[in-house]
C-alpha cells in the first residue's frame, strides 16, 4: 500500500476516529477509587477489549496489576521472522480539576475553534485513536508483528504496569517500542522526544515550639517555623531563578531544538510583564537542568488564621532531574542542602518519596530511522528532536527489561493541548498525521530492519525461535 493510499485511507477514517474519541472521553477513567467509581475504568477497559478485538487483535485481554488497575494486551501476528512493534498507550486520565473551570462539558467531546475538547482528548485517549486509525488504515497489511500494551494507572504514578512488565516480559517484548504519550513541539511540527527528566520528591517538616504562641506576646523572639521553612525554600533558587542546590550541576545545555521564549510564554500562559526565569535558554531550563518546585505547603490558611507564631510547617518539593544526573544522588543533595540552610537550629525531618531516573530514548537504529522518515512524510517537513520535562518511569523499566529494543516517544500532545489542566483539547490534524506516520512505520519497519541486518530472514526479538 503506497503513501497516497494510506493518506487517503487515514483521512477517510477521521470521522471514525472522532466517534472513537467521543466514546472514550465519556468514560471517567480516573484511577482513583476515592474520587471516581472504579466501574468507569472497567467500562473503558471493556471498550478497548471490544474495539481492538474487532480490529483483529488476537488474545486481547485485561490483566489486574499490582496497584489494582488493568493492563490491556494483545497482538496481531506479522509475517514469519518479521520484527515486533509494541504500541503503548494509557487509558486512565487526570481528574478534571473543577468542572466549573471548563468552557465545555468535561466528559463530552466538544468541537470548538477547530479543536476537540474533553478530559483525555489528548492525554492519552487521542493517542489511542491514533493506534486504532493506523491499524484500520493498514487493514491487516502491516509488515510486522504488532503488540499492544495499555496502562491503567499512569496518571496516578502507582507503578502497576512497571511491575507487570517485569513479571510478564513475553507480552511486551519487541524490537521497537512506540510510546504514544508525548507530542510535537507545536502543531504541525513533527517531533520525537528523546529525553525525559527524572524525579526526586521529598517532604520537609520544620518544628520549633511545642505549640502556637500569641504573636503579640512572643513574636520577635519566638522561632517561627513557617518563617524558617520559607527561608529554606528561598535558597533553592537564585535571584535569576536558577536552581541552586549544592552539589547539583545547573549549567547543562540542550543540544536539540531551541524553544523560542515567546512560544514558551504562550504555551505556559505566563502573564504579560512577568519574566521567564533562569540564565539559560528555555530549552536548557526545561529539558537539560534540574528544577525544584514547591508543590504545597502545610500552614494556616489566610482565612481563619490567628495572630500566632507557628510551631511547625511542612512542604512538598518536586525535584526534576535531567538526563546524566543520578536521581538518588539528587535527592540526597536536596536533603543535605536544606539541612545545611536550616536556621536557628530548628528541628527538620524529611520523608523521601519514590524516585524516578531520567530517560534517554533511541536516537539511531532502523526503527528510529523508519519513524523519523514516516513522520517527515506525514507532515512534509523535517523532524525536530526535543526533550520533555516530565517523567515516565515505565520507559526506564522497559529499557532495562528489553535493552536491545529501540524506544521512541511521540504522539498528539502538543503544548496547546493543556494536558492535566482544565480545557484539555487535541487538534484533529495531529491525530490524522500521527496516525499516518504510524501506519507508514508499521508498513516499512521490517524492510528497513532487514536491510540493516543484511538479511530478510534474521529472527526478530519478538519472533519465536
Amino acid at each position: 500500500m503506497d503513501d497516497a493510499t494510506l493518506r487517503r485511507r487515514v483521512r477517510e477514517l477521521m470521522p471514525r476516529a472522532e466517534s472513537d474519541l467521543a466514546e472514550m472521553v465519556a468514560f471517567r477513567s480516573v484511577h482513583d477509587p476515592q474520587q471516581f467509581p472504579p466501574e468507569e475504568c472497567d467500562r473503558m477497559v471493556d471498550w478497548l477489549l471490544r474495539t481492538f478485538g474487532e480490529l483483529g487483535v488476537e488474545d486481547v485481554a485485561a490483566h489486574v496489576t499490582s496497584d489494582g488497575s488493568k493492563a490491556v494486551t494483545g497482538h496481531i501476528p506479522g509475517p514469519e521472522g518479521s520484527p515486533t512493534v509494541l504500541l503503548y498507550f494509557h487509558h486512565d486520565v487526570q481528574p478534571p480539576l473543577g468542572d466549573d473551570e471548563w468552557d465545555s462539558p468535561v466528559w463530552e467531546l466538544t468541537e470548538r475553534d477547530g479543536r476537540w475538547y474533553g478530559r483525555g482528548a489528548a492525554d492519552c485517549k487521542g493517542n489511542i485513536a491514533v493506534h486504532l486509525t493506523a491499524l484500520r488504515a493498514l487493514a491487516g497489511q502491516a509488515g510486522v508483528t504488532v503488540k499492544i500494551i495499555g496502562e491503567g494507572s499512569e496518571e496516578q504514578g502507582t507503578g502497576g504496569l512497571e511491575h507487570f512488565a517485569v513479571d510478564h516480559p513475553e507480552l511486551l517484548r519487541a524490537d521497537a517500542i512506540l510510546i504514544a504519550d508525548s507530542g510535537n513541539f507545536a502543531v504541525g511540527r513533527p517531533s520525537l522526544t528523546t529525553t525525559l527528566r527524572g524525579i526526586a520528591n521529598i517532604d520537609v517538616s520544620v518544628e520549633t515550639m511545642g505549640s502556637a504562641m500569641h504573636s503579640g506576646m512572643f513574636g520577635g523572639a519566638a522561632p517561627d517555623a513557617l518563617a524558617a521553612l520559607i527561608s529554606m525554600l528561598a535558597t533553592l533558587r537564585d535571584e535569576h531563578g536558577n536552581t541552586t542546590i549544592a552539589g547539583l550541576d545547573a549549567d547543562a545545555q540542550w543540544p536539540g531544538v531551541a524553544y523560542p521564549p515567546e512560544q514558551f510564554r504562550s504555551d505556559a500562559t505566563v502573564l504579560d510583564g512577568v519574566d521567564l526565569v533562569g540564565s539559560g535558554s528555555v530549552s536548557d531550563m526545561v529539558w537539560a537542568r534540574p528544577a525544584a518546585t514547591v508543590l504545597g505547603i502545610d500552614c494556616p490558611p489566610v482565612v481563619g488564621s490567628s495572630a500566632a507564631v507557628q510551631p511547625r510547617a511542612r512542604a512538598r518539593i518536586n525535584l526534576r532531574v535531567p538526563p546524566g544526573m543520578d536521581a538518588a544522588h539528587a535527592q540526597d543533595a536536596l536533603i543535605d542542602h536544606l539541612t545545611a540552610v536550616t536556621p536557628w537550629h530548628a528541628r527538620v525531618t524529611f520523608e523521601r518519596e519514590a524516585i524516578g531516573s531520567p530517560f534517554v530514548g533511541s536516537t539511531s537504529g532502523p526503527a528510529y530511522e523508519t519513524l523519523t522518515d514516516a513522520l517527515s512524510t506525514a507532515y512534509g517537513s523535517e523532524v525536530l528532536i526535543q526533550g520533555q520535562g516530565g517523567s515516565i518511569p515505565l520507559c526506564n523499566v522497559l529499557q532495562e527489561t528489553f535493552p536491545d529494543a529501540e524506544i521512541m516517544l511521540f504522539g498528539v500532545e502538543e503544548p496547546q493541548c493543556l494536558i492535566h489542566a482544565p480545557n484539555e483539547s487535541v487538534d484533529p490534524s495531529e491525530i490524522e498525521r500521527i496516525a499516518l506516520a504510524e501506519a507508514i512505520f508499521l508498513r516499512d519497519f521490517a524492510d528497513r530492519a532487514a536491510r540493516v541486518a543484511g538479511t530478510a530472514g534474521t529472527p526478530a526479538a519478538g519472533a519465536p525461535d
Side-chain angles (χ1 to χ4, degrees):
M1 194 180 302
D2 60 22
D3 291 348
T5 302
L6 272 179
R7 191 180 296 272
R8 174 179 55 79
R9 292 176 68 94
V10 168
R11 184 171 295 117
E12 291 171 348
L13 284 164
M14 283 304 294
R16 180 66 182 275
E18 182 178 8
S19 64
D20 282 341
L21 190 55
E23 291 181 32
M24 288 189 282
V25 166
F27 299 123
R28 297 179 295 161
S29 54
V30 180
H31 180 65
D32 184 352
Q34 295 183 346
Q35 297 188 63
F36 290 85
E39 294 80 11
E40 290 289 311
C41 293
D42 292 338
R43 291 174 61 215
M44 179 69 215
V45 169
D46 290 342
W47 187 93
L48 292 168
L49 297 178
R50 182 178 68 255
T51 304
F52 277 104
E54 291 170 351
L55 260 173
V57 178
E58 298 182 8
D59 299 324
V60 61
H63 311 263
V64 178
T65 64
S66 60
D67 62 0
S69 66
K70 292 181 178 178
V72 175
T73 65
H75 75 282
I76 303 175
E80 184 177 355
S82 64
T84 296
V85 176
L86 178 67
L87 304 179
Y88 166 90
F89 58 87
H90 66 82
H91 48 86
D92 66 312
V93 297
Q94 283 280 328
L97 303 180
D99 290 19
D100 57 348
E101 296 293 323
W102 289 69
D103 297 329
S104 54
V106 177
W107 309 107
E108 180 180 325
L109 194 69
T110 304
E111 183 174 359
R112 189 169 68 252
D113 299 324
R115 297 182 70 92
W116 296 343
Y117 287 80
R119 176 57 88 216
D123 183 20
C124 179
K125 294 173 179 178
N127 291 309
I128 300 175
V130 164
H131 293 326
L132 293 170
T133 303
L135 292 172
R136 288 195 183 104
L138 285 166
Q141 297 185 44
V144 297
T145 291
V146 176
K147 293 181 178 180
I148 62 168
I149 180 64
E151 183 173 11
S153 58
E154 191 274 343
E155 299 293 8
Q156 298 299 318
T158 46
L161 189 57
E162 294 160 43
H163 298 294
F164 182 82
V166 174
D167 293 339
H168 302 278
E170 71 284 356
L171 295 176
L172 282 71
R173 182 174 289 108
D175 300 277
I177 301 176
L178 303 189
I179 305 291
D181 191 19
S182 183
N184 289 336
F185 182 67
V187 173
R189 302 291 302 278
S191 311
L192 284 176
T193 297
T194 59
T195 66
L196 301 169
R197 287 194 293 196
I199 193 169
N201 286 10
I202 65 166
D203 290 350
V204 53
S205 299
V206 178
E207 294 184 278
T208 55
M209 299 181 295
S211 67
M213 303 302 295
H214 192 282
S215 60
M217 297 177 63
F218 298 98
D224 185 332
L226 180 55
L229 178 62
I230 291 171
S231 73
M232 294 161 62
L233 299 178
T235 68
L236 298 177
R237 291 181 182 264
D238 65 17
E239 68 273 19
H240 304 294
N242 297 298
T243 298
T244 51
I245 298 173
L248 296 188
D249 175 26
D251 297 320
Q253 296 181 330
W254 175 251
V257 63
Y259 203 149
E262 289 310 310
Q263 180 180 338
F264 181 82
R265 294 183 67 89
S266 174
D267 293 342
T269 69
V270 179
L271 300 179
D272 290 343
V274 178
D275 296 336
L276 301 185
V277 300
S279 300
S281 70
V282 171
S283 299
D284 296 338
M285 300 303 296
V286 299
W287 297 333
R289 299 182 181 182
T293 302
V294 179
L295 300 183
I297 297 179
D298 287 343
C299 62
V302 172
V303 176
S305 58
S306 62
V309 180
Q310 296 304 310
R312 62 188 64 87
R314 184 173 68 154
R316 172 164 292 170
I317 302 170
N318 167 243
L319 179 60
R320 297 288 177 168
V321 181
M325 185 175 291
D326 181 80
H329 166 73
Q331 190 179 60
D332 289 341
L334 176 57
I335 291 173
D336 290 345
H337 175 97
L338 291 172
T339 300
V341 298
T342 301
W344 316 322
H345 295 97
R347 296 180 183 177
V348 58
T349 56
F350 300 93
E351 292 183 33
R352 297 175 184 263
E353 295 188 352
I355 61 175
S357 298
F359 173 78
V360 179
S362 301
T363 56
S364 64
Y368 172 84
E369 293 168 1
T370 305
L371 185 56
T372 300
D373 288 348
L375 285 165
S376 181
T377 298
Y379 282 85
S381 60
E382 180 183 2
V383 175
L384 304 176
I385 302 302
Q386 64 177 354
Q388 189 179 103
S391 305
I392 307 178
L394 175 66
C395 289
N396 299 86
V397 173
L398 294 174
Q399 197 170 61
E400 293 167 2
T401 306
F402 311 113
D404 295 328
E406 293 182 60
I407 303 176
M408 291 150 293
L409 291 89
F410 75 133
V412 302
E413 300 165 29
E414 42 79 25
Q416 291 184 51
C417 291
L418 298 180
I419 64 172
H420 295 203
N423 294 307
E424 178 182 349
S425 69
V426 66
D427 189 314
S429 70
E430 294 290 274
I431 293 179
E432 180 176 346
R433 287 183 284 193
I434 294 293
L436 174 59
E438 184 170 294
I440 293 172
F441 174 86
L442 295 175
R443 181 197 67 188
D444 292 350
F445 173 45
D447 288 343
R448 178 71 65 93
R451 290 198 302 272
V452 171
T455 170
T458 301
D465 295 332

